[in-house]
Amino acid sequence: IDADVVALQEVEAGDSGADMLAWLAEQTGHASIAGTTLIRHDGHYGNGLLTRLPIRDQVLCDLSWRGREPRGAIAAELGDF
């Protein structure tokens, strides 16, 4: 689709073995930001951002509410080509 930015949910990333976000970044040539929200013994999951634009700044925002499954968002400042 030739997108400059792709936002993903429920993507596996991190130290859990299979790192789908890293694989997608490598395959597309995009930079990635992992927003892990759920750390489990069988995998770490959360949001992911892929972009071909330079990443100037990033903040992981915790949107969790007690008694509920963890939630989060990625706030990213992206540059120009």
Side-chain angles (χ1 to χ4, degrees), residues 4-51:
D4 293 329
V5 179
V6 177
L8 303 165
Q9 291 181 270
E10 302 298 327
V11 65
E12 188 171 8
D15 301 326
S16 59
D19 191 335
M20 183 55 67
L21 187 60
W23 183 83
L24 289 168
E26 180 182 322
Q27 295 299 309
T28 61
H30 286 47
S32 66
I33 302 172
T36 303
T37 55
L38 187 59
I39 298 173
R40 298 173 37 141
H41 71 282
D42 60 346
H44 304 336
Y45 300 91
N47 303 313
L49 189 84
L50 296 170
T51 181

Side-chain angles (χ1 to χ4, degrees), residues 28-77:
T28 61
H30 286 47
S32 66
I33 302 172
T36 303
T37 55
L38 187 59
I39 298 173
R40 298 173 37 141
H41 71 282
D42 60 346
H44 304 336
Y45 300 91
N47 303 313
L49 189 84
L50 296 170
T51 181
R52 68 174 70 181
L53 302 171
I55 300 169
R56 291 187 178 162
D57 194 19
Q58 64 187 40
V59 177
L60 301 181
C61 306
D62 183 1
L63 304 175
S64 301
W65 190 257
R66 68 176 171 258
R68 304 284 184 202
E69 186 174 283
R71 298 281 182 223
I74 299 170
E77 181 182 344

